Amino acid sequence: TWAVKTISYLSQTATFRVITDTLAKIFKDLPYMVIFFMGITAGFSIMSYFLLGSREEAYTSILSALRNFMDHIAGFSDMGLIAKDDSQSVILAFLLFLPFFISVKFVLLNMFLAIIVNAYDLSLIHI
């Protein structure tokens, strides 16, 4: 069919081979990144459950805390916890969310980009 002909045509170009080789190398290292990411997210979720579970409805179970942290990663964050008048909840929220955002948004995102760049460099050397 036309899809097979298109893929066979593209596989003859060097650029397509670099892309497919890069993707193959990324998927080899990606499980380690996912395990590291889930470990950090689960750790912060458990910590928020223990610190905020009795104060906030959104953190009454570990699964709801995990869902809230996944929402924070996706950008659907409800910062109502920080806007409360309860000073203890505000301090706990800053102690939880600031390290979480620093570790996930900066460290893990840079780690993911480093995996991609390293795989691309290895693909260019290989081809």
Side-chain angles (χ1 to χ4, degrees):
T1 65
W2 63 271
V4 174
K5 289 179 184 178
T6 305
I7 291 175
S8 66
Y9 174 72
L10 287 174
S11 64
Q12 295 174 1
T13 63
T15 306
F16 189 75
R17 280 183 280 166
V18 168
I19 290 171
T20 56
D21 194 39
T22 301
L23 289 174
K25 285 179 175 47
I26 287 171
F27 287 124
K28 188 176 75 174
D29 292 333
L30 201 60
Y32 302 111
M33 170 69 190
V34 170
I35 289 170
F36 192 63
F37 170 76
M38 289 307 294
I40 287 178
T41 307
F44 275 102
S45 299
I46 292 169
M47 190 168 43
S48 69
Y49 166 71
F50 285 124
L51 292 176
L52 298 171
S54 62
R55 291 183 184 88
E56 292 300 319
E57 185 179 326
Y59 298 95
T60 55
S61 71
I62 293 176
L63 289 178
S64 66
L66 182 63
R67 184 188 52 80
N68 280 328
F69 274 103
M70 290 296 183
D71 287 345
H72 288 302
I73 293 169
F76 302 119
S77 32
D78 178 24
M79 293 308 213
L81 181 62
I82 295 176
K84 283 192 166 197
D85 292 332
D86 184 16
S87 63
Q88 190 175 14
S89 293
V90 172
I91 291 170
L92 287 176
F94 273 120
L95 289 177
L96 277 173
F97 294 133
L98 186 65
F100 177 73
F101 283 125
I102 289 172
S103 63
V104 170
K105 299 258 180 172
F106 296 124
V107 176
L108 290 178
L109 183 63
N110 282 328
M111 185 185 298
F112 181 67
L113 290 175
I115 289 172
I116 293 173
V117 169
N118 187 28
Y120 180 72
D121 287 341
L122 290 175
S123 297
L124 286 180
I125 291 170
H126 182 264
I127 301 223

